[in-house]
């Protein structure tokens, strides 16, 4: 082949490749992933809370599927979001802890993540609001909608141009408000509760929903005190504002004729920002909302009780999009040793739950692996956990250490009032048990949903313990966990 022929071939390939990618993308669903910030599963009407007002999340659940056993793999912001977008546990993707300021944890460069795969499949990608990850080359988006997420209604309005411009191309929108995360204190209110983003004069474009603190029922993991109820009232107001942002985004999709072409997924990054929830592997820290509306399925107003986690999110989204990813090694295949081959795996760690919509009743998942390493730089307390339908086994790798407190949890009016009270039980848990944990915690979630009776040393439960521990070690090996070396060296 002479030089001219080679040149012509390159021109033809260069012209046809985008056309081929465009043709492949026709008929693919749009996908919106909404991530609440510290949104507890029980703080939503569709999850059984009659006091909080979340009409838009409730409507989303009424038109889709509400998952009852959905878990974050780590109860910390940056690591959890890295799991959602990378499809790999934080111990493998490098986002061990928080991204910002002095914490400075960053994911590995060169790792292929969700948006790489979607872009290769003809999708246009955009993010709005809180990002909290580095480097951007590992999590690339075509469009960055300039908003920090503190007003979800205005943020939804700012998505209008992107939605309008992608009517003829499938898109992925990553929509991340900062509600109901903690912010500053409400010095203008009695007890000075945390504001959770609420402002004295409200947020522009938001019809604020106010809650009377005295009438609120407090979750079991919080003490029933005036300070707890005051902060819960602020938290609920913030959740209701988040809900309005979801509603505004839903309205935008409908106005632009995209609603029946778009799969909408709602999750939270971790649990409520209080001791006993956020940064722990207890249920309030990691068992979270997952609501999915799929207009291409007849699954409406349904619940799914199968076990899923945030490491399953990327595999599911690429499955919805019809985009291939590197497959996991099959059974019997020799998997790499994490100590011999550091860095992220090429394959994703989770599974797709698309079958929940395609073939109702066919999807089965009865075991999850959770992994937490850091929160902030000084909050080192790695945990590895197995969750099954009935049991949870937590391995507290650094159990000789006292469990660390995140700064915003420590400073909260709820915790400071508790410290001054001289009480020893916070919610249902003894503080001494919260601060000083054994190497292993085993709970029967069916008989002990509040996780108070540790069965790890109970002879009757030794077969259960041994089986779950074997599963935990194998999960570490399959996901390239550097902490698996602790079994050898300590």
């Amino acid at each position: 082949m002479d030089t001219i022929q080679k040149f012509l071939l390159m021109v033809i390939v260069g012209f046809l490749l985008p056309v081929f990618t465009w043709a492949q993308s026709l008929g693919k669903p749009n996908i919106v992933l909404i991530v609440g910030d510290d949104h507890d599963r029980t703080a939503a009407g569709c999850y059984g809370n009659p006091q909080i007002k979340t009409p838009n999340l409730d409507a989303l659940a009424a038109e889709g599927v509400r998952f009852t056993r959905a878990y974050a793999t780590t109860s910390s912001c940056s690591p959890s979001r890295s799991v959602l977008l990378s499809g790999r546990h934080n111990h493998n993707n490098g986002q061990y802890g928080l991204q910002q300021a002095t914490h400075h944890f960053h994911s590995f460069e060169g790792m292929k993540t969700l948006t790489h795969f979607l872009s290769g499949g003809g999708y246009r990608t955009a993010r709005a609001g809180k990002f909290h990850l580095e480097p951007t080359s590992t999590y690339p988006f075509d469009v960055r909608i300039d908003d920090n997420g503190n007003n979800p209604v205005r943020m939804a309005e700012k998505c209008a141009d992107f939605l309008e411009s992608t009517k003829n191309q499938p898109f992925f929108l990553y929509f991340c408000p900062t509600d109901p995360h903690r912010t500053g204190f409400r010095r203008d209110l009695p007890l000075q509760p945390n504001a959770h983003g609420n402002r004295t004069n409200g947020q522009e474009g938001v019809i604020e929903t106010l809650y009377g603190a005295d009438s609120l029922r407090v979750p079991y993991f919080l003490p029933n005190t005036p300070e707890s109820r005051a902060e819960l009232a602020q938290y609920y107001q913030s959740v209701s504002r988040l809900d309005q942002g979801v509603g505004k985004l839903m309205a935008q999709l409908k106005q632009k004729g995209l609603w029946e072409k778009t799969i909408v997924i709602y999750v939270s990054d971790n649990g409520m920002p209080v001791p006993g929830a956020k940064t722990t592997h207890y249920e309030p820290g990691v068992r979270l909302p997952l609501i999915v509306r799929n207009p291409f399925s007849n699954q409406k107003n349904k619940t799914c009780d199968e076990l899923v986690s945030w490491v399953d999110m990327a595999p599911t989204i690429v499955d919805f999009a019809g985009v291939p990813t590197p497959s996991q090694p099959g059974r019997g295949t020799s998997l790499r040793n994490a100590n011999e081959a550091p860095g992220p795996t090429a394959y994703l760690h989770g599974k797709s739950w698309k079958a929940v919509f395609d073939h109702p009743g066919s999807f089965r998942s009865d075991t999850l692996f959770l992994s937490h390493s850091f929160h902030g730089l000084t909050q080192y307390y790695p945990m590895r956990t197995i969750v099954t339908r009935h049991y949870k086994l937590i391995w507290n790798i650094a159990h000789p250490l006292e469990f660390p407190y995140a700064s915003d949890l420590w400073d909260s009016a709820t915790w400071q009032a508790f410290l001054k009270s001289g009480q020893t039980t916070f919610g249902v848990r003894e503080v001494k048990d919260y601060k000083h944990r054994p190497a292993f915690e085993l709970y029967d979630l069916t008989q002990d949903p509040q996780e108070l009776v540790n069965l790890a040393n109970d002879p009757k439960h030794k077969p259960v313990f041994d089986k779950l521990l074997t599963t935990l070690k194998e999960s570490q090996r399959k996901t390239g966990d550097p902490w698996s070396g602790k079994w050898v060296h300590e």
Side-chain angles (χ1 to χ4, degrees):
M1 182 180 293
D2 60 29
T3 304
I4 295 177
Q5 288 176 316
K6 289 180 180 179
F7 173 75
L8 290 174
L9 180 61
M10 291 173 61
V11 170
I12 292 170
V13 170
F15 173 76
L16 290 179
L17 187 59
V19 175
F20 178 70
T21 302
W22 172 81
Q24 280 188 313
S25 70
L26 291 178
K28 292 188 174 185
N30 305 313
I31 302 169
V32 174
L33 175 59
I34 306 171
V35 183
D37 201 352
D38 294 3
H39 185 194
D40 177 59
R41 179 179 65 97
T42 63
C46 57
Y47 277 95
N49 187 330
Q51 293 191 305
I52 195 166
K53 306 301 181 186
T54 53
N56 296 295
L57 289 175
D58 299 349
L60 196 67
E63 293 190 29
V65 175
R66 177 174 57 84
F67 289 72
T68 64
R69 297 291 302 277
Y71 288 77
T73 59
T74 175
S75 190
S76 177
C77 178
S78 297
S80 186
R81 291 164 191 262
S82 76
V83 173
L84 286 167
L85 292 182
S86 75
R88 301 167 181 86
H89 286 282
N90 77 90
H91 62 243
N92 182 254
N93 68 35
Q95 194 75 51
Y96 306 126
L98 298 179
Q99 164 266 335
Q100 79 276 24
T102 55
H103 310 296
H104 202 62
F105 289 106
H106 292 179
S107 298
F108 286 111
E109 298 237 19
M111 179 174 58
K112 298 300 182 185
T113 61
L114 175 60
T115 49
H116 286 106
F117 298 125
L118 291 177
S119 294
Y123 275 74
R124 191 164 184 240
T125 62
R127 62 178 171 94
K130 187 170 185 175
F131 190 51
H132 220 15
L133 294 172
E134 287 288 350
T136 54
S137 60
T138 296
Y139 304 99
F141 286 82
D142 297 320
V143 178
R144 176 184 175 185
I145 298 171
D146 188 20
D147 196 286
N148 62 14
N150 62 14
N151 184 328
V153 173
R154 285 287 179 257
M155 189 170 79
E157 292 173 346
K158 291 181 179 181
C159 293
D161 289 344
F162 172 77
L163 297 176
E164 185 68 34
S165 68
T166 57
K167 283 187 173 182
N168 298 317
Q169 180 183 4
F171 66 82
F172 171 67
L173 174 61
Y174 183 57
F175 186 85
C176 301
T178 56
D179 290 329
H181 196 284
R182 289 183 180 273
T183 51
F185 294 95
R186 289 291 302 269
R187 305 294 184 188
D188 58 316
L189 294 178
L191 307 177
Q192 300 186 4
N194 192 278
H196 289 278
N198 304 322
R199 298 179 180 176
T200 304
N201 298 320
Q203 295 269 26
E204 182 184 1
V206 177
I207 302 173
E208 298 286 359
T209 303
L210 305 181
Y211 294 87
D214 292 342
S215 65
L216 295 181
R217 290 194 288 274
V218 176
Y220 72 86
F221 50 88
L222 286 175
N224 188 10
T225 62
E227 291 80 8
S228 286
R229 293 192 299 274
E231 292 208 305
L232 194 62
Q234 295 297 310
Y235 182 80
Y236 280 7
Q237 180 180 341
S238 187
V239 170
S240 290
R241 182 172 54 254
L242 161 67
D243 182 80
Q244 280 192 53
V246 173
K248 176 62 72 172
L249 184 60
M250 291 163 59
Q252 293 272 14
L253 292 167
K254 292 173 183 177
Q255 290 167 9
K256 299 185 182 304
L258 298 169
W259 182 241
E260 295 304 329
K261 304 175 184 176
T262 304
I263 296 169
V264 178
I265 304 170
Y266 179 81
V267 300
S268 173
D269 57 352
N270 48 250
M272 189 182 292
V274 294
K278 184 176 180 177
T279 75
T280 79
H281 267 181
Y282 298 132
E283 294 286 279
V286 288
R287 189 174 174 184
L288 301 175
L290 170 57
I291 305 167
V292 184
R293 180 189 183 270
N294 181 358
F296 308 99
S297 169
N298 61 6
Q299 292 295 96
K300 311 293 182 186
N301 200 26
K302 303 289 186 181
T303 58
C304 177
D305 300 325
E306 299 301 314
L307 275 66
V308 299
S309 82
W310 291 182
V311 81
D312 301 325
M313 187 62 68
T316 302
I317 289 176
V318 295
D319 197 7
F320 276 131
V323 176
T325 60
S327 59
Q328 292 188 12
R331 289 179 177 238
T333 303
S334 178
L335 295 169
R336 71 170 205 200
N337 186 311
N339 298 314
E340 296 173 355
T345 58
Y347 54 87
L348 308 186
H349 298 163
K351 60 191 176 299
S352 171
W353 37 258
K354 180 173 177 282
V356 170
F357 297 91
D358 295 346
H359 308 288
S362 67
F363 177 76
R364 292 288 181 268
S365 175
D366 58 9
T367 304
L368 298 178
F369 175 52
L370 314 182
S371 172
H372 180 95
S373 302
F374 286 82
H375 180 57
L377 179 63
T378 60
Q379 287 106 41
Y380 172 73
Y381 204 85
M383 297 168 281
R384 302 294 183 265
T385 297
I386 294 293
V387 182
T388 68
R389 295 189 190 279
H390 299 291
Y391 291 98
K392 178 187 289 183
L393 175 66
I394 303 172
W395 177 33
N396 296 309
I397 300 175
H399 61 92
L401 299 177
E402 184 174 301
F403 190 85
Y405 294 87
S407 58
D408 57 338
L409 277 59
W410 178 270
D411 293 337
S412 68
T414 299
W415 182 249
Q416 288 301 311
F418 171 78
L419 292 178
K420 294 174 184 176
S421 73
Q423 298 292 314
T424 59
T425 302
F426 187 85
V428 295
R429 194 175 301 278
E430 290 288 328
V431 173
K432 63 178 178 61
D433 295 331
Y434 179 80
K435 293 167 63 176
H436 303 286
R437 306 184 183 190
F440 296 102
E441 299 175 71
L442 175 64
Y443 299 107
D444 183 339
L445 296 176
T446 58
Q447 301 298 318
D448 180 26
Q450 297 179 357
E451 302 163 290
L452 298 175
V453 181
N454 184 4
L455 302 171
N457 295 318
D458 180 5
K460 294 180 181 178
H461 286 84
K462 190 176 187 309
V464 173
F465 177 90
D466 289 344
K467 180 180 179 180
L468 297 186
L469 186 59
T470 297
T471 302
L472 187 150
K473 291 180 178 179
E474 178 64 10
S475 298
Q476 286 188 280
R477 187 176 70 88
K478 290 173 66 175
T479 60
D481 186 358
W483 275 263
S484 62
K486 294 285 187 179
W487 296 111
V488 177
H489 301 298
E490 295 182 13

